[in-house]
Amino acid sequence: MKYAWRNDAFAKVTGRARYADDIKMPGLCHAVPVYADAVHARLLRIDPEAAGKSPGVLGVFTAADIPGTVKFGQIIRDCPTLAGDKIRCHGDVIALVVAETRAQAMVAGDLVKCEIEDLPALTDPEQALAPDAILIHAELGTNLVNEHSVRRGDVSAGETASEYIIAAEVTTSRIEHSYLEPEAAVALVRPDGVVEIHGSMQHPFSTRRFVASTLGLPLAQVEVTGTPMGGGFGGKDDTAALVCARAALCAWLLKRPVKITYTREWSMRESYKRHPYRMRYRMGLDAEGRIRFVYVDMLADGGAYCSVSPWVTWRSTVQCCGAYEVPNVHCDVRAVYTNNVFCGAMRGFGSPQVNFAIEQLIEIAGQKAGLDEITIRRRNMLQQDSVTVTGQQLSGHTVSLRQVMDRVLAEIDYVNKRQNCSFGDPEAEEWYGIGFAISYRGMSLGAEGTDFNSAIISIQPDGSVILETGIHENGQGSESAMILLAAEHLGIDKNRIVYRRSSTSTIPDGGTTVASRGTLMGGGAVVDACHIIQDKIGAIIRRKLAVDPAHLLFREGFIYDEASARRLCSFNEAIGWCYQMQEYPYAFGVFKAPQVSWDEHTGQGNAYFTWVYGCQAVELKVVPKTGQVVLLNMVAAHDIGNAVNPAMLSGQFYGGMAMGTGYALFEEFRHQDGKGISSNFHNYRIPRATDLPPMTAIIVENPDPLSPSGAKGIGEPTNELMAPAIANALYRATGKRYLKQPIQPDRRGAFPQRPKENLSTPELGDGSLPESDSTDRIKED
Amino acid sequence: MSEQDNIKPADLIHLPEGVCLYNRIRFYLNGRKRTYDIPPAMTTLDFVHRELGMYGTKCSCNEGDCGACMVVVVLVVKGKIRYQAINSCIYPAAKLHGKHLITVEGIGTPQNLHPIQTALLDHHGTQCGYCTPGFVMSIFAYLANGGTRDRESTLAALEGNLCRCTGYDSILRAVEQLTRDYQSDDIIPQWCRELEPDLAIFNAPEQLILKQSDRLHPVRAYLVPDTLDELFRQMEEIENSSQYRIICGGTDLMVQANVNKIYYPYLLDISQIEELNGISEHDGSIEIGATVTYNQLKHSALIQAKVPVLIRIIDQIASEQVRNSATLIGNIGNASPVADAATTLLALDARLKIVSAAQERYLSLSAGSPSQSDLDADQRAVKETAPTSYYLDYKQTAIRPGELIHSVIIPEQELTDFATIIKSTKRKAVDISSIVTAAHFRVSDGIIVNARLAIGGADRYPRLSAAFNRFCQGKSLFKGTLERRPYDKKDASGEHPSLATDWFEEAAGIAEQDFAPISDVRGSEGFRSRMIYNHALLCLQRCRDHFSGGAQ
């Protein structure tokens, strides 16, 4: 089953796919958001009069018009659909203007005036934690969003056992998802009183909760249907849901269908970002280069609202030591409210930050111990039955870290090419570097939340199949993967299966399509539904043909007795018999994630039921005089369990590597005093084709016994490694470590050349222990 | 709605309150002849997506950066048919008059895919699909114009399209296969070919239609004069020069309108004034007209032969798609301090020919510093003595009401001249410079006679370093050159690494000292200063390598 196919590709390459902004209907009117030019302020008065008189305007709505609850949130209900008495960040929407046309609404939007009283703006998370800091959410009594910790072993004992200790502070920046399609939604109130939403969103169920809360309606009275989505990357949850809730509010108040389509500027101003982290690490190695302890303190700037900060930062704690065995760990992470744009889920979800740190620190520590970057990793990496920093034993699936790393190093010819690295050679006009990084990643939600999903298979009398799942198509090709799984298990042609884009009213809430859980969780449910169908068909065949095969085989449109390989009937015949004999060939399949456990106090437990392993490597050159970095080649290997749709899977690899490149080198959502400077793609730079080198994707398959389809996830693993790989390659090009993301030329000079006498790097070893040479072992902190 | 057909140009200007002029355009849309009335300055994207409901052309950035709105415009340039990929979000729809607009809907249908669409399917070049139609159109233009398999050319053709899902790899693989399997003749459908003769003889005049304004759009008329006389008459009638702006490619003005909501009541589109579209040579100097686009220059044999440095900077300006519309003079006209082309022209000592109804005059791009054309004034039949400076202050120029930049004149390049440019950006393509440096050296027997080092991005406008020139004049490029070291190897480009000349670093330091750049998004003050130093040094090294190469 190795197809290269997707069900929505014809519509997409011909421009026929209908995204939310492309929906038209009679009576449709248009709403736009209104912002106040404030970062932290009391909102004293909104004057809608001038806007209300503008041509075509149907209404100007504020928080006072919200019939339900003003504030909502996935974890803490702190985020207002429209700001009421207070503005907490520059992206807060204070009013909505609705008009007959979008142009009219835009003009009127500029006419809404407000009176504000500025408050001190907290834009630095450290400052927000100061005891006398003003509270951003007074009702919460603190600016601390959450804290998590991991305590394992005895860090001071680990320190005593260490021969080499390194300490470093690593920082990362705020990242914009940069989905090409800005947020858009259409809402209408149906004659039956149900509020219907069509929008660009990652999670219809989360949107439904936002909408129902805003309008004060029961969940059943809101029906949310996703449209084809022009990219999400974790970014079309809260903000997309807020846009839907605002469209719903306008539609509810006006009793007319309302569309809101965001401009890029609004989207960048308001939408949540990936958290910037400040990480302080200390790490100790023993004489043989084994990690004895890691001490880490992380501070995440959560911005004005909680969103999913507690979950993002939780993953950071679980993966705080990267893919290594560490017996003694002390990890604290805090997320903090500030008056910056809020932060939430983004592809990687707390791992890109820690990987950027740990995958450099392991090399720095290794170097101190005289170990090259391959040896230090091999000596410390997680293996089969290793115990993670949260005390989870990695068993029940193949721990393939060594395998993926070796595949990548061989493919890129690492050991040979490494000899060409420049290390900032002052004689050279161009510097060459090669680097890599490895990771392990917990799959799906883990102990973050309840994790289950469902699928519905309904086979029609002619043998065609309608399939739907609780997983949402984000552009990644999940619908195609689901179809392929069903086609395989039912033994029928994929073209006989039509994927029904489900609405919140047709299938139960299956959790959000995040955490690289689509194929794993949705696919598990599809496989379960297929098993139910097989059992139903089996029972019918036994009755109809009066045979009793032990096992049936569904293949190529026919059903066989597995033992005798005798063809019993065609799939269509069997379906016909089902309908004749009053048995619906219909199934509701469920996959419940295996149990995980977590002790919030100690930060110990079986965090995730399975893990994926990956390695990415890069070659690059640097032109020191101009600061130019030219990427030459990239290779990635990930253990995906079972590749359902290999071509599409490779597409996830390339896309993840590209996004990781942007993270490493250009991307940073810039702001000044809480006001965004980055506003569009000319001042928030994502990689172009010209920035990227040829890429190679290596798919490693060790089917996962805990996943019904054998498949694991891939969306995020591909996006958490390229930044540290590039940082490591840049080190071997320039001789300098870059612990601040994005990696940019220094204040003075591009990549400053360093004096030749400092040029000393460890030779590449063979993985064996170093010769005893204690004279240069100096303890330092 | 009151409507009045075919307004005479003379009636246009003093429009009564509440009315505006629509452009009645006749053009071809995906092979079919069409007539539409376009509200003043409506973009092609808004026209296609919002008015016609052809949703394949998509809005993502609305500033010409992302390519989701890419369309192909077939037009006649100097008697030749051209297929150009255009960012429809910054392309006024009024410009479509007499052209053939091809959108993704026209290229192929799900039942009858175009080979480009099949290749994207086969290689999984689509994920979320939002950027896909734009890629289809850029690839179409690339292959229609004979695009090759060469990776660098392919990348250049796609540099105006952003994709966040695919990492571009699968799209590039699709293009590679297409270049293997198809010739440009197979790429351009028959129905496109059939219209080409009609485009070549198209001569229906554009009409202006008086209509009630929706009172929302601040632009009241988008005028497209055919001659300079007509343009001057319009300018005169509008009287107040703050009421109008000259527009040609629109790649700057339309972004200002879309994003910053900066509008002018009248836009005067000069793109149809034939005499402004010349690239010519007189007595060795090159004159480039106001409407000449970057891509026209790039494909001009004259420019390639005589001013190759201009080709090199053009390759680094914006994207292929923007360069189809954007003009060289527009880069001067907007007076941006980081204008790449203007900085290059400054180093080349170019002059601007300024025309108005009454007179013509010349302005120098150099501010204050004596220009080489002054020195050579007696040899050149320059009418006025010392041309005054074009730049006055940040985004302020010496252009007076009623005037137009007619052309730019680049003085003759001699064999003893060497010109080079360096642009520092964060990203490889489609990025605004942190610092752009252009240098022009006149060298005699290894001695620098004149050194024009122009820096963009370090002052209120692109500026020369007079101190650098003073210091370099009379110095030998080779004096103080160190012996070639035995371990100097050829680098990847096949060049020897530069040797050091002992005074170069001092010269670079003088250039750095001559500027006091500011810090902003594109670079800190310190970074910019360091870039000026590095650039100046590199320019000197390149100059020395150029002349030492010639000597060997």
Side-chain angles (χ1 to χ4, degrees), chain A residues 390-402:
Chain A
T390 71
Q392 177 175 5
Q393 192 176 36
L394 295 175
S395 52
H397 68 277
T398 309
V399 179
S400 52
L401 206 46
R402 177 77 186 245

Side-chain angles (χ1 to χ4, degrees), chain A residues 158 161-164 283-293 325-327 362 369 371 376 378-380 383 767 769:
Chain A
S162 294
E163 283 286 317
Y164 314 98
M283 178 191 275
L285 303 184
D286 66 16
E288 295 176 341
R290 292 202 168 81
I291 305 173
R292 299 319 307 167
F293 82 96
E325 271 193 277
V326 185
I362 188 77
L371 296 176
I376 186 73
R378 283 187 182 151
R379 193 156 296 165
N380 290 287
Q383 297 165 38
L769 293 175

Side-chain angles (χ1 to χ4, degrees), chain B residues 202-408:
Chain B
F202 184 93
N203 65 355
E206 194 209 38
Q207 289 176 304
L208 291 164
I209 309 294
L210 197 61
K211 286 198 185 191
Q212 209 145 14
S213 164
D214 60 5
R215 293 166 190 272
L216 292 173
H217 208 292
V219 185
R220 304 188 66 192
Y222 188 93
L223 305 177
V224 192
D226 288 326
T227 64
L228 270 182
D229 285 346
E230 196 183 336
L231 172 73
F232 289 137
R233 200 164 49 239
Q234 290 168 354
M235 286 162 102
E236 201 177 335
E237 286 187 34
I238 298 168
E239 286 167 15
N240 183 350
S241 66
S242 66
Q243 295 277 299
Y244 69 80
R245 271 290 181 284
I246 303 288
I247 184 169
C248 189
T251 53
D252 185 47
L253 278 179
M254 296 308 284
V255 174
Q256 288 184 28
N258 288 352
V259 175
N260 303 323
K261 299 188 180 166
I262 298 172
Y263 300 100
Y264 304 94
Y266 296 90
L267 289 176
L268 307 179
D269 182 329
I270 58 171
S271 63
Q272 298 306 306
I273 301 175
E274 192 57 37
E275 70 164 288
L276 295 177
N277 197 246
I279 307 173
S280 57
E281 186 178 10
H282 321 275
D283 301 332
S285 32
I286 308 278
E287 181 170 2
I288 299 166
T291 65
V292 173
T293 64
Y294 284 127
N295 273 349
Q296 263 179 286
L297 286 171
K298 191 177 162 182
H299 296 115
S300 155
L302 185 63
I303 300 298
Q304 287 166 6
K306 301 281 180 162
V307 207
V309 68
L310 206 48
I311 307 281
R312 280 202 292 281
I313 190 66
I314 286 170
D315 275 334
Q316 297 179 48
I317 295 173
S319 63
E320 165 74 15
Q321 291 79 0
V322 168
R323 292 192 297 263
N324 280 330
S325 300
T327 62
L328 178 73
I329 303 270
N331 193 245
I332 299 168
N334 78 3
S336 159
V338 286
D340 295 330
T343 304
T344 310
L345 291 168
L346 169 60
L348 294 172
D349 196 19
R351 291 177 306 147
L352 303 178
K353 181 176 172 183
I354 310 296
V355 295
S356 64
Q359 60 156 7
E360 64 177 58
R361 61 183 185 125
Y362 293 83
L363 292 176
S364 161
L365 287 170
S366 323
S369 67
S371 102
Q372 198 172 308
S373 50
D374 305 340
L375 305 173
D376 303 345
D378 52 337
Q379 296 164 24
R380 296 158 191 272
V382 179
K383 284 177 195 162
E384 63 287 299
T385 46
T388 46
S389 171
Y390 168 72
Y391 292 110
L392 299 179
D393 205 333
Y394 176 72
K395 293 227 169 191
Q396 283 183 25
T397 72
I399 299 285
R400 301 174 195 140
E403 284 189 329
L404 168 80
I405 307 177
H406 174 280
S407 53
V408 60

Side-chain angles (χ1 to χ4, degrees), chain A residues 70-92:
Chain A
V70 173
K71 289 182 184 176
F72 199 67
Q74 299 198 55
I75 299 172
I76 298 175
R77 297 189 174 201
D78 61 2
C79 184
T81 305
L82 295 171
D85 52 351
K86 200 174 172 191
I87 290 163
R88 294 180 182 80
C89 69
H90 202 230
D92 275 2

